[in-house]
Amino acid sequence: MTLFEKIKPRELVSIIDRLLAWADTHYDRGNEGIRFLNWRCALAIQAASNIYSEIGNIVRRKQGSAWDERAYTSTMRKSFLAFKSALQTSTKTAWQIPHLWYPRKDLDILDFK
């Protein structure tokens, strides 16, 4: 008998709810620090946070039947979450915009020899 088979379904739902609540607090904490990252990294992390949080919400809604099939988001929903992430990231990292367009001084891209 596996550990999964030993745990009662109600107990498993309770454990999953606690883990998802714990994950939500970490998503919130992580989202607070995104403004300190460069905008490309911030966008990727914000998108992952939004998508995995959405998957957690699906698992939470399914409760006892969450492990019967894989929880996933549709391509349309992921596209929406990616767009939402781009908006969130643009407001958090807007202070970096003046620095996006200046060439690096260590690269000779403007030296036309």
Side-chain angles (χ1 to χ4, degrees):
M1 184 178 263
T2 66
L3 178 62
F4 185 76
E5 293 169 340
K6 290 180 184 179
I7 299 174
K8 296 176 185 172
R10 288 178 66 170
E11 292 173 353
L12 191 56
V13 169
S14 173
I15 292 168
I16 290 171
D17 281 341
R18 284 186 284 154
L19 284 173
L20 290 173
W22 179 75
D24 287 341
T25 62
H26 286 282
Y27 290 137
D28 293 341
R29 282 186 190 170
N31 289 339
E32 289 174 14
I34 281 180
R35 69 178 184 268
F36 298 109
L37 298 174
N38 100 12
W39 67 273
R40 290 180 184 105
C41 295
L43 176 58
I45 291 171
Q46 185 69 60
S49 173
N50 286 340
I51 291 167
Y52 285 112
S53 179
E54 180 72 16
I55 292 170
N57 291 336
I58 291 167
V59 169
R60 192 177 279 131
R61 279 193 301 268
K62 288 185 174 185
Q63 291 194 344
S65 64
W67 49 85
D68 292 344
E69 61 184 34
R70 184 175 177 163
Y72 63 93
T73 60
S74 68
T75 303
M76 183 66 82
R77 184 69 180 155
K78 281 182 190 167
S79 298
F80 169 77
L81 293 170
F83 180 73
K84 176 183 172 184
S85 301
L87 291 176
Q88 290 171 320
T89 303
S90 67
T91 59
K92 292 176 184 176
T93 59
W95 63 273
Q96 296 178 14
I97 290 173
H99 305 287
L100 294 178
W101 311 112
Y102 295 112
R104 289 176 40 187
K105 294 187 187 322
D106 61 335
L107 299 176
D108 291 328
I109 61 173
L110 297 179
D111 191 10
F112 300 104
K113 292 182 183 176

